[in-house]
Amino acid sequence: MGFCPQCDSTEPLQEIVDTPTASITAPPVPLAAARAGNGRQRLETGINEFDRVLGGGLVSGSVVLLGGEPGVGKSTLTLQAMGSLASSGAGVLLAGSEESPQQVGLRAERLGLGTAEIDLLTSADVDQVVSVVAKNQPDVVVVDSIQTLSVPDIGGVTGGMSQIRECAARLVRVAKTTGTAVILVGHVTKDGGLAGPKALEHIVDVVLSLEGDPDRGLRALRSFKNRFGATHVVGMFDMQHTGLVEVLDPSKAFLAEWDMDVPGTIAFPAVEGARSVMVEIQALVTESPHTPPRRSVRGVEASRIHQILAVLTRHCSIDVSNKEVYVNVVGGWRLVEPGCDLPVALAIASSTLNRPLGSLAAWGEIGLAAEVRAVPLDLRRREEAKRVGIGTSIAAEQGSRLRLIDAMNRSGLTV
Ligand code: TYD
Ligand code: MG
């Protein structure tokens, strides 16, 4: 192309010799002596939701990647964890050049951790961080952020793919040799492009993501990969003036502002890991001045919405072909289960017909023939609906048939 499509530089390309990330010199050992967990210690951060997502605390010598959009609260969460670790006597180091010591100091003040025994190392040079870790052997190092570190001896821009990868590889190496647990903070862009951090997923032990609705306080911490615990565990926090506070009953938090008498809203008992969380799904259908009409979706896959709209139009006399459709999962929650099809369809139908659904929860996957299929963990969802006091639940039961039009009839949306 004659220029770099990422940074527009017209400098000539430079060849980078990839250095092996670990030297393999150890002699063979019997499997029995090498069982996972042998010689490894769990270090509890003291923040229960964080520890739960980690599978019971930080494992010594492990590397955790914590991704999230700028401003979501990664620095806050890690500083709170460091404060609590330090107060229980662990040696903790905060390294990187994301923020100046003054900025970190201000945040610590705000979190009530002004006097916490945390060492700060403001450096953009990964080798300096590595040598401090090797020398001081702290229990935990937080690198905020991996994008602000660089290696002088290889090319590429700071924050670029090859730099991020090499920095992480050096930090992984020092974690394994010293037994220090390393948390790498990584920025993820708004459009979900994990670009840099994504390239690290295979070299780290644990991948966590902190997500949330920037307009609201609720934050979800999810595990996507965990060599020492279960994945898809979710921890919930509320961002308050004095930092992140654990949310013990997320269903109650989600439903606190639920106005069930407005058309287009319904509850959905989502299941994530070992936990059921009741979330509110909203839809708004209005006349459209645009051709084609606008479709805006937050928290559900857009492709599913298009399919649901097609099924509603073709099989249920809910014609939205020239209407704007907005679908939103309240609280910034992201739904990936097909079980959210039915509540989404009912919310859209409810808004189109301008009839509220009241105290209703629903779950089920919708097929192209407008059949509603059962989804796993029916009982758990039913119990969660009962626990939070929702009057009616509509779902396809295993082995029986439910048509979308019947589900609509049962929820009072007779066309
Ligand atoms: P931060 O941890 O800096 O986010 P990240 O490191 O992921 O970029 O969090 C920044 C936001 O959090 C900022 O908008 C201010 C807000 N915040 C609070 O609401 N309460 C607090 O106690 C703190 C420290 C930050
Ligand atoms: Mg930060």
Side-chain angles (χ1 to χ4, degrees):
M1 284 187 226
F3 65 94
C4 167
Q6 251 170 16
C7 65
D8 291 335
S9 162
T10 52
E11 297 288 308
L13 290 173
Q14 241 177 42
E15 187 180 345
I16 298 163
V17 182
D18 206 2
T19 47
T21 56
S23 52
I24 303 158
T25 52
V29 290
L31 174 63
R35 284 203 310 262
N38 266 10
R40 289 194 181 262
Q41 286 176 316
R42 289 267 188 191
L43 203 59
E44 284 182 11
T45 66
I47 300 176
N48 291 334
E49 291 287 279
F50 195 7
D51 286 333
R52 212 166 54 77
V53 176
L54 287 167
L58 284 165
V59 173
S60 64
S62 72
V63 180
V64 177
L65 174 67
L66 172 64
E69 287 177 11
V72 73
K74 302 179 294 298
S75 303
T76 305
L77 178 65
T78 47
L79 191 59
Q80 283 181 263
M82 279 189 284
S84 152
L85 280 161
S87 72
S88 62
V92 289
L93 173 72
L94 173 59
S97 61
E98 180 90 18
E99 288 169 318
S100 66
Q102 288 71 28
Q103 283 171 302
V104 177
L106 279 174
R107 177 181 288 112
E109 212 52 69
R110 186 171 175 184
L111 299 173
L113 300 169
T115 56
E117 286 184 39
I118 300 172
D119 289 333
L120 305 181
L121 173 64
T122 310
S123 170
D125 179 355
V126 72
D127 289 335
Q128 198 192 348
V129 176
V130 166
S131 68
V132 170
V133 172
K135 183 162 166 277
N136 298 3
Q137 308 229 338
D139 296 293
V140 180
V141 178
V142 173
V143 175
D144 195 0
S145 65
I146 185 72
Q147 275 108 333
T148 61
L149 289 188
S150 64
V151 187
D153 44 309
I154 68 164
V157 285
T158 303
M161 205 73 89
S162 49
Q163 282 285 348
I164 288 182
R165 212 178 306 201
E166 186 53 31
C167 289
R170 292 185 189 193
L171 290 161
V172 168
R173 224 175 306 160
V174 75
K176 303 295 168 201
T177 53
T178 58
T180 296
V182 176
I183 300 178
L184 303 177
V185 172
H187 288 298
V188 168
T189 51
K190 276 257 182 306
D191 50 16
L194 281 147
K198 186 101 192 159
L200 304 181
E201 286 183 1
H202 66 285
I203 68 165
V204 300
D205 300 303
V206 181
V207 178
L208 306 181
S209 157
L210 187 62
E211 299 164 5
D213 187 340
D215 307 334
R216 286 168 179 250
L218 276 175
R219 301 283 186 271
L221 180 70
R222 286 167 208 264
S223 63
F224 287 98
K225 163 179 174 176
N226 194 343
R227 286 187 180 149
F228 316 109
T231 50
H232 298 285
V233 182
V234 183
M236 294 286 304
F237 296 93
D238 187 24
M239 180 64 97
Q240 299 185 357
H241 295 298
T242 51
L244 290 160
V245 178
E246 295 165 61
V247 176
L248 298 175
D249 191 344
S251 298
K252 290 256 164 72
F254 277 125
L255 298 184
E257 295 161 42
W258 186 31
D259 191 349
M260 59 183 83
D261 300 324
V262 176
T265 153
I266 188 167
F268 169 61
V271 176
E272 294 242 19
R275 177 180 255 199
S276 329
V277 180
M278 191 64 76
V279 294
E280 178 190 350
I281 296 178
Q282 299 181 329
L284 179 68
V285 180
T286 61
E287 294 301 328
S288 176
H290 308 283
T291 7
R294 207 188 301 251
R295 263 90 224 250
S296 165
V297 185
R298 275 206 331 195
V300 194
E301 278 170 66
S303 60
R304 299 206 79 87
I305 302 298
H306 292 127
Q307 181 179 323
I308 291 166
L309 293 178
V311 170
L312 281 171
T313 304
R314 178 72 175 71
H315 293 279
C316 305
S317 314
I318 300 286
D319 190 0
V320 291
S321 49
N322 52 11
K323 297 208 167 75
E324 311 215 326
V325 179
Y326 299 87
V327 176
N328 182 30
V329 181
V330 176
W333 199 259
R334 271 198 302 136
L335 298 175
V336 284
E337 321 175 55
C340 67
D341 285 358
L342 180 60
V344 166
L346 293 177
I348 293 171
S350 158
S351 178
T352 310
L353 300 172
N354 201 26
R355 258 179 266 159
L357 293 164
S359 181
L360 178 70
W363 55 98
E365 178 179 1
I366 296 178
L368 290 181
E371 79 281 18
V372 182
R373 297 212 200 95
V375 289
L377 304 166
D378 188 71
L379 187 63
R380 275 253 296 279
R381 297 180 207 264
R382 235 167 252 286
E383 281 169 354
E384 183 67 3
K386 209 158 114 194
R387 188 183 73 84
V388 299
I390 290 178
T392 316
S393 293
I394 299 180
E397 272 164 41
Q398 207 79 49
S400 71
R401 280 166 64 91
L402 175 69
R403 303 200 57 77
L404 178 54
I405 193 81
D406 299 327
M408 283 175 54
N409 284 332
R410 270 170 58 189
S411 52
L413 297 176
T414 314
V415 189

